[in-house]
Coordinates of all heavy atoms in Angstrom, one line a residue:
M1 N -12.7 -159.5 -6.2 CA -12.9 -159.6 -4.7 C -11.8 -158.9 -4.0 O -10.7 -159.0 -4.3 CB -13.0 -161.1 -4.4 CG -13.3 -161.4 -2.9 SD -13.4 -163.1 -2.6 CE -14.8 -163.1 -1.5
R2 N -12.2 -158.2 -3.0 CA -11.2 -157.4 -2.2 C -10.4 -158.3 -1.3 O -11.0 -159.2 -0.6 CB -11.9 -156.4 -1.3 CG -11.7 -155.0 -1.8 CD -12.5 -154.1 -0.9 NE -11.6 -153.5 0.1 CZ -12.0 -152.5 0.9 NH1 -13.1 -151.9 0.7 NH2 -11.1 -152.1 1.8
Q3 N -9.1 -158.1 -1.2 CA -8.3 -158.9 -0.4 C -8.1 -158.3 1.0 O -7.9 -157.0 1.1 CB -6.9 -159.0 -1.0 CG -6.0 -160.0 -0.3 CD -4.7 -160.2 -1.1 OE1 -4.3 -159.3 -1.8 NE2 -4.0 -161.3 -0.8
R4 N -8.3 -159.1 2.1 CA -8.2 -158.5 3.4 C -6.7 -158.4 3.8 O -5.9 -159.2 3.4 CB -8.8 -159.5 4.4 CG -10.3 -159.5 4.3 CD -11.0 -160.5 5.2 NE -10.3 -160.6 6.5 CZ -10.5 -161.6 7.3 NH1 -11.3 -162.6 7.1 NH2 -9.8 -161.6 8.5
P5 N -6.4 -157.3 4.5 CA -5.0 -157.1 5.0 C -4.7 -158.3 6.0 O -5.6 -158.8 6.6 CB -5.0 -155.8 5.7 CG -6.5 -155.5 6.0 CD -7.3 -156.3 5.0
P6 N -3.4 -158.6 6.1 CA -3.0 -159.7 7.0 C -3.3 -159.3 8.4 O -3.2 -158.1 8.8 CB -1.5 -159.8 6.8 CG -1.1 -158.6 6.2 CD -2.3 -158.0 5.4
S7 N -3.7 -160.2 9.2 CA -3.9 -160.0 10.7 C -2.8 -160.6 11.4 O -2.3 -161.7 11.1 CB -5.3 -160.4 11.1 OG -5.2 -161.7 11.6
I8 N -2.4 -160.0 12.5 CA -1.3 -160.6 13.3 C -1.7 -161.9 13.9 O -0.8 -162.8 14.0 CB -0.8 -159.6 14.3 CG1 0.6 -159.9 14.8 CG2 -1.7 -159.5 15.5 CD1 1.4 -158.8 15.3
D9 N -2.9 -162.1 14.3 CA -3.3 -163.4 14.9 C -3.3 -164.5 13.9 O -2.7 -165.5 14.1 CB -4.8 -163.3 15.4 CG -4.8 -162.4 16.6 OD1 -3.8 -162.3 17.4 OD2 -5.8 -161.7 16.9
N10 N -3.9 -164.3 12.7 CA -3.9 -165.3 11.7 C -2.5 -165.6 11.1 O -2.1 -166.8 11.1 CB -4.8 -164.9 10.5 CG -6.2 -164.9 10.9 OD1 -6.6 -165.6 11.9 ND2 -7.1 -164.2 10.2
D11 N -1.8 -164.6 10.7 CA -0.5 -164.9 10.1 C 0.6 -165.3 11.0 O 1.3 -166.2 10.7 CB -0.1 -163.6 9.3 CG -0.9 -163.4 8.1 OD1 -1.6 -164.4 7.6 OD2 -0.9 -162.3 7.6
F12 N 0.7 -164.6 12.1 CA 1.9 -164.9 13.0 C 1.6 -166.1 13.9 O 2.5 -166.9 14.0 CB 2.2 -163.7 13.9 CG 2.9 -162.6 13.2 CD1 2.2 -161.5 12.8 CD2 4.2 -162.8 12.9 CE1 2.9 -160.5 12.1 CE2 4.9 -161.8 12.2 CZ 4.2 -160.6 11.8
N13 N 0.5 -166.3 14.4 CA 0.3 -167.3 15.4 C -0.2 -168.6 14.9 O 0.0 -169.7 15.4 CB -0.6 -166.8 16.5 CG 0.0 -165.7 17.3 OD1 1.2 -165.6 17.4 ND2 -0.9 -164.8 17.7
N14 N -1.0 -168.6 13.8 CA -1.6 -169.8 13.3 C -0.9 -170.5 12.2 O -0.8 -171.7 12.1 CB -3.0 -169.6 12.8 CG -3.9 -169.1 14.0 OD1 -3.6 -169.3 15.1 ND2 -4.9 -168.3 13.6
N15 N -0.3 -169.8 11.3 CA 0.3 -170.4 10.0 C 1.7 -170.7 10.1 O 2.2 -171.6 9.3 CB 0.0 -169.4 8.9 CG -1.5 -169.3 8.6 OD1 -2.3 -170.1 9.0 ND2 -1.9 -168.2 8.1
W16 N 2.6 -170.1 10.8 CA 4.0 -170.3 10.7 C 4.5 -171.2 11.8 O 4.2 -171.0 13.0 CB 4.7 -168.9 10.7 CG 4.3 -168.1 9.5 CD1 4.1 -168.6 8.3 CD2 4.1 -166.7 9.4 NE1 3.8 -167.6 7.4 CE2 3.8 -166.4 8.1 CE3 4.2 -165.7 10.4 CZ2 3.6 -165.1 7.7 CZ3 3.9 -164.4 9.9 CH2 3.6 -164.2 8.6
L17 N 5.4 -172.0 11.4 CA 6.0 -173.0 12.2 C 6.8 -172.4 13.4 O 7.6 -171.5 13.2 CB 7.0 -173.9 11.4 CG 7.7 -175.0 12.1 CD1 6.7 -176.0 12.7 CD2 8.6 -175.7 11.2
W18 N 6.4 -172.7 14.6 CA 7.1 -172.2 15.8 C 7.0 -170.7 16.0 O 7.7 -170.1 16.7 CB 8.5 -172.6 15.9 CG 8.7 -174.1 16.0 CD1 8.1 -174.9 16.8 CD2 9.6 -174.8 15.2 NE1 8.5 -176.2 16.5 CE2 9.5 -176.1 15.5 CE3 10.6 -174.5 14.2 CZ2 10.2 -177.2 15.0 CZ3 11.3 -175.5 13.6 CH2 11.1 -176.8 14.0
G19 N 6.1 -170.0 15.2 CA 6.0 -168.6 15.3 C 7.1 -167.8 14.7 O 7.2 -166.6 14.9
L20 N 8.0 -168.5 13.9 CA 9.1 -167.7 13.3 C 8.7 -167.2 11.9 O 8.2 -168.0 11.1 CB 10.4 -168.6 13.2 CG 11.0 -169.1 14.5 CD1 12.2 -170.0 14.2 CD2 11.4 -167.9 15.3
V21 N 9.0 -166.0 11.7 CA 8.5 -165.3 10.4 C 9.7 -165.0 9.6 O 10.7 -164.5 10.0 CB 7.8 -164.0 10.8 CG1 7.3 -163.3 9.6 CG2 6.6 -164.3 11.8
R22 N 9.6 -165.3 8.3 CA 10.7 -165.0 7.3 C 10.6 -163.5 7.0 O 9.6 -162.9 7.0 CB 10.5 -165.9 6.1 CG 10.6 -167.4 6.3 CD 10.4 -168.2 5.1 NE 11.4 -167.8 4.1 CZ 12.6 -168.4 3.9 NH1 12.9 -169.3 4.8 NH2 13.4 -168.0 3.0
P23 N 11.7 -163.0 6.6 CA 11.8 -161.5 6.2 C 10.8 -161.2 5.1 O 10.2 -160.1 5.1 CB 13.2 -161.3 5.8 CG 14.0 -162.3 6.5 CD 13.1 -163.5 6.6
E24 N 10.6 -162.1 4.1 CA 9.7 -161.8 3.0 C 8.2 -161.7 3.5 O 7.5 -160.8 3.1 CB 9.7 -162.9 2.0 CG 11.1 -163.0 1.3 CD 12.1 -163.8 2.1 OE1 11.7 -164.5 3.1 OE2 13.3 -163.6 1.8
Q25 N 7.9 -162.5 4.5 CA 6.5 -162.5 5.1 C 6.3 -161.2 5.9 O 5.3 -160.6 5.8 CB 6.3 -163.7 5.9 CG 6.3 -165.0 5.2 CD 6.4 -166.2 6.1 OE1 7.2 -166.3 7.0 NE2 5.6 -167.3 5.8
L26 N 7.3 -160.9 6.7 CA 7.2 -159.7 7.5 C 7.2 -158.4 6.7 O 6.5 -157.5 7.0 CB 8.4 -159.7 8.5 CG 8.4 -158.6 9.5 CD1 7.1 -158.6 10.3 CD2 9.6 -158.6 10.4
S27 N 7.9 -158.4 5.6 CA 7.9 -157.2 4.8 C 6.6 -157.0 4.2 O 6.1 -155.8 4.1 CB 9.0 -157.3 3.7 OG 8.6 -158.3 2.7
R28 N 5.9 -158.0 3.8 CA 4.5 -157.9 3.3 C 3.6 -157.4 4.4 O 2.7 -156.5 4.1 CB 4.0 -159.2 2.7 CG 4.5 -159.5 1.3 CD 3.7 -160.6 0.7 NE 3.6 -161.8 1.5 CZ 4.5 -162.8 1.5 NH1 5.5 -162.8 0.7 NH2 4.3 -163.9 2.2
F29 N 3.7 -157.9 5.6 CA 2.9 -157.6 6.7 C 3.1 -156.1 7.1 O 2.1 -155.4 7.3 CB 3.1 -158.5 7.9 CG 2.3 -158.1 9.1 CD1 1.0 -158.5 9.1 CD2 2.8 -157.4 10.1 CE1 0.2 -158.2 10.2 CE2 2.0 -157.1 11.2 CZ 0.7 -157.5 11.3
L30 N 4.3 -155.6 7.1 CA 4.6 -154.3 7.6 C 4.5 -153.3 6.4 O 4.6 -152.0 6.6 CB 6.0 -154.2 8.2 CG 6.1 -154.9 9.6 CD1 7.6 -154.8 10.1 CD2 5.2 -154.3 10.6
G31 N 4.5 -153.8 5.2 CA 4.4 -152.9 4.0 C 5.7 -152.1 3.8 O 5.7 -151.0 3.4
M32 N 6.8 -152.8 4.0 CA 8.2 -152.3 3.6 C 9.0 -153.3 2.9 O 8.6 -154.5 3.0 CB 8.8 -151.7 4.9 CG 9.1 -152.8 5.9 SD 10.0 -152.1 7.4 CE 8.8 -151.1 8.1
S33 N 10.1 -152.9 2.3 CA 10.9 -153.9 1.6 C 11.7 -154.7 2.5 O 12.0 -154.4 3.7 CB 11.8 -153.1 0.6 OG 12.8 -152.4 1.4
V34 N 12.2 -155.9 2.0 CA 13.1 -156.7 2.8 C 14.4 -156.0 3.1 O 14.9 -156.2 4.2 CB 13.3 -158.0 2.0 CG1 14.3 -158.9 2.7 CG2 12.0 -158.8 1.8
K35 N 14.8 -155.2 2.2 CA 16.1 -154.5 2.3 C 15.9 -153.5 3.5 O 16.9 -153.4 4.3 CB 16.3 -153.7 1.1 CG 17.7 -153.2 0.9 CD 17.9 -152.6 -0.5 CE 19.3 -152.1 -0.7 NZ 19.6 -151.6 -2.0
T36 N 14.8 -152.9 3.7 CA 14.5 -152.0 4.8 C 14.5 -152.8 6.1 O 15.0 -152.3 7.1 CB 13.2 -151.2 4.6 OG1 13.3 -150.5 3.4 CG2 12.9 -150.3 5.8
L37 N 13.9 -154.0 6.1 CA 13.9 -154.8 7.3 C 15.3 -155.1 7.8 O 15.7 -155.0 9.0 CB 13.2 -156.1 7.1 CG 11.7 -156.1 7.0 CD1 11.2 -157.5 6.7 CD2 11.1 -155.6 8.3
H38 N 16.2 -155.5 6.8 CA 17.6 -155.8 7.2 C 18.3 -154.6 7.7 O 19.1 -154.7 8.6 CB 18.3 -156.4 6.0 CG 17.8 -157.8 5.6 ND1 17.8 -158.9 6.5 CD2 17.2 -158.3 4.5 CE1 17.3 -159.9 6.0 NE2 16.9 -159.6 4.7
K39 N 18.0 -153.4 7.1 CA 18.6 -152.2 7.6 C 18.2 -151.9 9.1 O 19.0 -151.5 9.9 CB 18.2 -151.0 6.7 CG 18.7 -149.7 7.1 CD 18.2 -148.6 6.2 CE 18.6 -147.2 6.8 NZ 17.9 -146.1 6.1
L40 N 16.9 -152.1 9.4 CA 16.4 -151.9 10.8 C 17.1 -152.9 11.7 O 17.4 -152.5 12.9 CB 14.9 -152.1 10.8 CG 14.1 -151.0 10.1 CD1 12.6 -151.4 10.1 CD2 14.2 -149.7 10.8
V41 N 17.4 -154.1 11.3 CA 18.1 -155.1 12.1 C 19.5 -154.6 12.4 O 20.0 -154.6 13.5 CB 18.1 -156.5 11.5 CG1 19.0 -157.4 12.2 CG2 16.6 -157.0 11.5
R42 N 20.2 -154.2 11.3 CA 21.6 -153.7 11.5 C 21.7 -152.5 12.4 O 22.6 -152.3 13.2 CB 22.2 -153.3 10.1 CG 22.6 -154.5 9.3 CD 23.4 -154.1 8.1 NE 22.8 -153.0 7.3 CZ 22.0 -153.1 6.3 NH1 21.5 -154.3 6.0 NH2 21.5 -152.1 5.6
E43 N 20.6 -151.6 12.4 CA 20.6 -150.4 13.2 C 20.2 -150.7 14.6 O 20.2 -149.9 15.5 CB 19.7 -149.4 12.6 CG 20.1 -148.8 11.3 CD 19.1 -147.9 10.7 OE1 17.9 -147.9 11.1 OE2 19.5 -147.2 9.7
G44 N 19.8 -152.0 14.9 CA 19.4 -152.4 16.3 C 18.0 -152.0 16.6 O 17.6 -152.0 17.8
K45 N 17.2 -151.6 15.6 CA 15.8 -151.1 15.9 C 14.8 -152.3 15.8 O 13.7 -152.2 16.4 CB 15.4 -150.1 14.8 CG 16.2 -148.8 14.9 CD 15.8 -147.8 13.9 CE 16.6 -146.5 14.0 NZ 16.3 -145.6 13.0
L46 N 15.2 -153.3 15.1 CA 14.3 -154.5 15.0 C 15.1 -155.7 15.4 O 16.0 -156.1 14.7 CB 13.7 -154.6 13.6 CG 12.9 -155.8 13.2 CD1 11.6 -155.8 14.1 CD2 12.5 -155.8 11.7
P47 N 14.7 -156.4 16.5 CA 15.4 -157.6 16.9 C 15.0 -158.8 16.0 O 14.0 -158.8 15.4 CB 15.0 -157.8 18.3 CG 13.7 -157.1 18.5 CD 13.7 -156.0 17.5
C48 N 15.9 -159.8 15.9 CA 15.6 -160.9 15.1 C 16.4 -162.1 15.7 O 17.2 -162.0 16.6 CB 16.0 -160.7 13.7 SG 17.8 -160.8 13.4
A49 N 16.0 -163.3 15.2 CA 16.7 -164.5 15.6 C 17.6 -164.8 14.4 O 17.1 -165.0 13.2 CB 15.8 -165.7 15.8
Q50 N 18.9 -164.9 14.6 CA 19.9 -165.1 13.5 C 20.0 -166.6 13.4 O 20.7 -167.3 14.2 CB 21.2 -164.5 13.8 CG 22.2 -164.5 12.6 CD 21.9 -163.4 11.6 OE1 21.4 -162.3 12.0 NE2 22.1 -163.7 10.4
I51 N 19.4 -167.3 12.4 CA 19.4 -168.7 12.2 C 20.8 -169.2 11.7 O 21.4 -170.1 12.3 CB 18.3 -169.2 11.3 CG1 16.9 -168.6 11.7 CG2 18.3 -170.7 11.1 CD1 16.5 -169.1 13.1
T52 N 21.2 -168.6 10.6 CA 22.6 -168.9 10.1 C 23.2 -167.5 9.8 O 22.6 -166.5 10.0 CB 22.5 -169.7 8.8 OG1 22.0 -169.0 7.8 CG2 21.8 -171.0 9.0
S53 N 24.4 -167.5 9.2 CA 25.0 -166.2 8.9 C 24.2 -165.5 7.9 O 24.3 -164.3 7.7 CB 26.4 -166.5 8.4 OG 26.4 -167.2 7.2
R54 N 23.4 -166.2 7.1 CA 22.6 -165.5 6.0 C 21.1 -165.5 6.3 O 20.3 -165.0 5.5 CB 22.9 -166.2 4.7 CG 24.4 -166.0 4.3 CD 24.6 -166.6 3.0 NE 23.9 -165.8 2.0 CZ 24.0 -166.0 0.7 NH1 24.8 -167.0 0.2 NH2 23.4 -165.2 -0.1
E55 N 20.6 -166.2 7.3 CA 19.2 -166.4 7.5 C 18.8 -165.7 8.8 O 19.4 -166.0 9.9 CB 18.8 -167.9 7.6 CG 19.0 -168.6 6.3 CD 18.0 -168.3 5.3 OE1 16.8 -168.1 5.6 OE2 18.3 -168.2 4.1
R56 N 17.7 -164.9 8.7 CA 17.1 -164.3 9.9 C 15.6 -164.7 10.0 O 15.0 -164.8 9.0 CB 17.2 -162.8 9.8 CG 18.6 -162.2 9.9 CD 18.6 -160.8 9.7 NE 20.0 -160.2 10.0 CZ 20.5 -159.2 9.4 NH1 19.8 -158.5 8.5 NH2 21.7 -158.8 9.7
R57 N 15.1 -164.7 11.2 CA 13.7 -165.0 11.4 C 13.3 -164.0 12.5 O 14.1 -163.5 13.3 CB 13.4 -166.4 11.9 CG 13.8 -167.5 10.9 CD 13.0 -167.4 9.6 NE 13.2 -168.5 8.7 CZ 14.2 -168.5 7.8 NH1 14.9 -167.4 7.6 NH2 14.4 -169.6 7.0
F58 N 12.0 -163.8 12.6 CA 11.4 -162.9 13.5 C 10.3 -163.6 14.3 O 9.5 -164.3 13.7 CB 10.8 -161.6 12.8 CG 11.9 -160.9 12.0 CD1 12.1 -161.3 10.7 CD2 12.7 -159.9 12.5 CE1 13.0 -160.6 9.9 CE2 13.6 -159.3 11.8 CZ 13.8 -159.6 10.4
T59 N 10.2 -163.3 15.6 CA 9.1 -163.8 16.4 C 8.0 -162.8 16.4 O 8.2 -161.6 16.3 CB 9.5 -164.2 17.8 OG1 9.9 -163.0 18.5 CG2 10.7 -165.2 17.8
P60 N 6.7 -163.2 16.7 CA 5.6 -162.2 16.8 C 5.9 -161.2 17.9 O 5.6 -160.1 17.8 CB 4.4 -163.1 17.1 CG 4.7 -164.4 16.6 CD 6.2 -164.6 16.7
E61 N 6.5 -161.7 19.0 CA 6.8 -160.8 20.1 C 7.8 -159.7 19.7 O 7.7 -158.5 20.0 CB 7.4 -161.5 21.3 CG 6.4 -162.5 21.9 CD 6.2 -163.8 21.2 OE1 7.1 -164.2 20.4 OE2 5.2 -164.5 21.4
Q62 N 8.8 -160.0 18.9 CA 9.8 -159.1 18.4 C 9.1 -158.0 17.5 O 9.4 -156.8 17.6 CB 10.9 -159.8 17.6 CG 11.8 -160.6 18.5 CD 12.8 -161.4 17.7 OE1 12.5 -161.9 16.6 NE2 14.0 -161.6 18.3
V63 N 8.2 -158.5 16.6 CA 7.5 -157.6 15.7 C 6.6 -156.7 16.5 O 6.6 -155.5 16.3 CB 6.7 -158.4 14.7 CG1 5.9 -157.5 13.8 CG2 7.7 -159.3 13.8
Q64 N 5.9 -157.2 17.5 CA 5.0 -156.4 18.2 C 5.7 -155.3 19.0 O 5.3 -154.2 19.2 CB 4.1 -157.3 19.2 CG 3.1 -158.1 18.4 CD 2.4 -159.1 19.3 OE1 2.8 -159.4 20.4 NE2 1.3 -159.6 18.7
E65 N 6.9 -155.7 19.6 CA 7.7 -154.7 20.3 C 8.2 -153.6 19.4 O 8.2 -152.5 19.8 CB 8.9 -155.4 21.0 CG 9.8 -154.5 21.8 CD 9.0 -153.8 22.9 OE1 8.1 -154.3 23.5 OE2 9.4 -152.6 23.1
Y66 N 8.6 -154.0 18.2 CA 9.0 -153.0 17.2 C 7.9 -152.0 16.9 O 8.0 -150.8 16.9 CB 9.5 -153.6 15.9 CG 9.7 -152.6 14.8 CD1 10.8 -151.7 14.9 CD2 8.9 -152.5 13.8 CE1 11.0 -150.8 13.9 CE2 9.0 -151.6 12.8 CZ 10.1 -150.7 12.8 OH 10.3 -149.8 11.8
I67 N 6.7 -152.6 16.7 CA 5.5 -151.7 16.3 C 5.2 -150.8 17.5 O 5.0 -149.6 17.3 CB 4.3 -152.6 16.0 CG1 4.6 -153.3 14.7 CG2 3.0 -151.8 15.9 CD1 3.5 -154.4 14.3
R68 N 5.3 -151.3 18.7 CA 5.0 -150.5 19.9 C 6.1 -149.4 20.0 O 5.8 -148.2 20.4 CB 5.1 -151.3 21.2 CG 3.7 -151.9 21.6 CD 3.8 -152.5 23.0 NE 3.1 -153.8 22.8 CZ 3.7 -155.0 22.8 NH1 5.0 -155.1 22.9 NH2 3.1 -156.1 22.7
S69 N 7.3 -149.7 19.7 CA 8.4 -148.7 19.8 C 8.2 -147.6 18.8 O 8.7 -146.5 19.0 CB 9.8 -149.3 19.7 OG 10.0 -149.7 18.4
Q70 N 7.6 -147.9 17.7 CA 7.4 -146.9 16.6 C 6.1 -146.1 16.8 O 5.9 -145.1 16.0 CB 7.4 -147.6 15.3 CG 8.7 -148.2 15.0 CD 9.9 -147.3 15.0 OE1 9.9 -146.2 14.3 NE2 10.9 -147.6 15.8
S71 N 5.2 -146.5 17.7 CA 3.9 -145.9 17.9 C 4.1 -144.6 18.7 O 4.9 -144.6 19.6 CB 2.9 -146.8 18.5 OG 2.8 -147.9 17.7
T72 N 3.3 -143.6 18.5 CA 3.3 -142.4 19.3 C 2.0 -142.2 19.9 O 0.9 -142.6 19.3 CB 3.6 -141.2 18.4 OG1 2.7 -141.1 17.4 CG2 5.0 -141.3 17.8
K73 N 2.0 -141.6 21.1 CA 0.7 -141.4 21.8 C 0.2 -140.0 21.4 O 1.0 -139.0 21.4 CB 1.0 -141.4 23.3 CG -0.3 -141.6 24.1 CD 0.1 -141.8 25.5 CE -1.1 -142.4 26.3 NZ -0.8 -142.7 27.6
V74 N -1.0 -139.9 21.0 CA -1.7 -138.7 20.6 C -2.3 -138.0 21.9 O -3.1 -138.7 22.5 CB -2.7 -138.9 19.5 CG1 -3.4 -137.6 19.2 CG2 -2.1 -139.5 18.3
C75 N -1.9 -136.8 22.2 CA -2.4 -136.1 23.3 C -3.4 -135.1 22.9 O -3.2 -134.3 21.9 CB -1.3 -135.4 24.1 SG -0.1 -136.5 24.8
V76 N -4.6 -135.1 23.5 CA -5.6 -134.2 23.1 C -5.9 -133.3 24.4 O -6.1 -133.8 25.5 CB -6.9 -134.9 22.7 CG1 -8.0 -133.9 22.4 CG2 -6.7 -135.8 21.5
D77 N -5.9 -132.0 24.2 CA -6.1 -131.1 25.3 C -7.6 -130.9 25.4 O -8.2 -130.1 24.6 CB -5.4 -129.7 25.0 CG -5.5 -128.8 26.2 OD1 -6.0 -129.2 27.3 OD2 -5.1 -127.7 26.1
K78 N -8.2 -131.6 26.3 CA -9.7 -131.5 26.5 C -10.1 -130.3 27.3 O -11.3 -130.0 27.3 CB -10.2 -132.8 27.2 CG -10.0 -134.0 26.3 CD -10.7 -135.2 26.9 CE -10.5 -136.4 26.0 NZ -11.1 -137.6 26.5
K79 N -9.2 -129.6 27.9 CA -9.5 -128.5 28.7 C -9.8 -127.2 27.8 O -10.6 -126.4 28.2 CB -8.4 -128.1 29.7 CG -8.2 -129.2 30.8 CD -7.0 -128.8 31.6 CE -6.7 -129.9 32.6 NZ -5.6 -129.6 33.5
D80 N -9.1 -127.2 26.7 CA -9.3 -126.0 25.9 C -9.5 -126.4 24.4 O -8.6 -126.2 23.6 CB -8.0 -125.1 26.0 CG -8.2 -123.8 25.3 OD1 -9.3 -123.4 25.0 OD2 -7.1 -123.2 24.9
P81 N -10.7 -127.0 24.1 CA -10.9 -127.4 22.8 C -11.3 -126.2 21.9 O -12.3 -125.6 22.0 CB -12.1 -128.4 22.9 CG -12.8 -127.9 24.1 CD -11.8 -127.3 25.0
R82 N -10.3 -125.8 21.0 CA -10.6 -124.7 20.1 C -10.8 -125.2 18.7 O -10.0 -126.1 18.3 CB -9.4 -123.7 20.1 CG -9.3 -123.0 21.5 CD -8.0 -122.1 21.4 NE -6.9 -123.0 21.7 CZ -5.6 -122.7 21.7 NH1 -5.3 -121.5 21.4 NH2 -4.7 -123.5 22.0
P83 N -11.7 -124.6 18.0 CA -11.9 -125.1 16.6 C -10.6 -124.6 15.8 O -10.0 -123.6 16.1 CB -13.1 -124.4 16.1 CG -13.3 -123.2 17.1 CD -12.7 -123.6 18.4
V84 N -10.3 -125.4 14.8 CA -9.2 -125.0 13.9 C -9.7 -124.0 12.9 O -10.7 -124.2 12.3 CB -8.7 -126.3 13.2 CG1 -7.6 -125.9 12.3 CG2 -8.2 -127.3 14.2
S85 N -8.9 -122.9 12.9 CA -9.3 -121.9 11.9 C -8.0 -121.5 11.2 O -7.0 -121.3 11.8 CB -9.9 -120.7 12.6 OG -9.0 -120.1 13.5
S86 N -8.1 -121.4 9.9 CA -7.0 -120.9 9.1 C -7.5 -119.9 8.1 O -8.6 -119.9 7.7 CB -6.4 -122.1 8.3 OG -7.4 -122.7 7.5
P87 N -6.6 -118.9 7.8 CA -7.1 -117.9 6.9 C -7.4 -118.4 5.5 O -6.8 -119.4 5.1 CB -5.9 -116.9 6.9 CG -4.7 -117.8 7.3 CD -5.3 -118.8 8.2
L88 N -8.3 -117.8 4.8 CA -8.6 -118.2 3.5 C -7.5 -117.8 2.5 O -6.9 -116.8 2.7 CB -10.0 -117.5 3.1 CG -11.2 -117.9 3.8 CD1 -12.4 -117.1 3.3 CD2 -11.5 -119.4 3.5
K89 N -7.3 -118.6 1.6 CA -6.3 -118.4 0.6 C -6.9 -117.3 -0.4 O -8.1 -117.2 -0.6 CB -6.0 -119.6 -0.2 CG -5.3 -120.7 0.6 CD -4.9 -121.9 -0.3 CE -4.2 -122.9 0.5 NZ -3.9 -124.1 -0.3
K90 N -6.0 -116.5 -0.9 CA -6.4 -115.5 -1.9 C -6.9 -116.1 -3.1 O -6.4 -117.1 -3.6 CB -5.2 -114.6 -2.3 CG -4.7 -113.7 -1.1 CD -3.6 -112.8 -1.6 CE -3.2 -111.9 -0.5 NZ -2.1 -111.0 -0.9
G91 N -8.0 -115.6 -3.6 CA -8.6 -116.1 -4.8 C -9.6 -117.3 -4.6 O -10.1 -117.8 -5.5
A92 N -9.8 -117.6 -3.3 CA -10.6 -118.8 -3.0 C -12.1 -118.3 -2.8 O -12.4 -117.2 -2.5 CB -10.1 -119.5 -1.8

């Protein structure tokens, strides 16, 4: 049976106490290692709640803001839509 990817509504808002997410849970959701999450926090790119000197938690709002900050807007020039053409490779 195929496993569904985690959804932000189910995982962040319904299942976790007070909406605080552990680094292990967030790493699975974002598809990156826990080590990378901690690196992003040290670089100031991903905010967190520092529970103790060794424990960090993340709120859904912090995660959504990080995702928004990493998203890029795709601009499409609708005035001059040209088909993409590339030269054929030799021997093709």
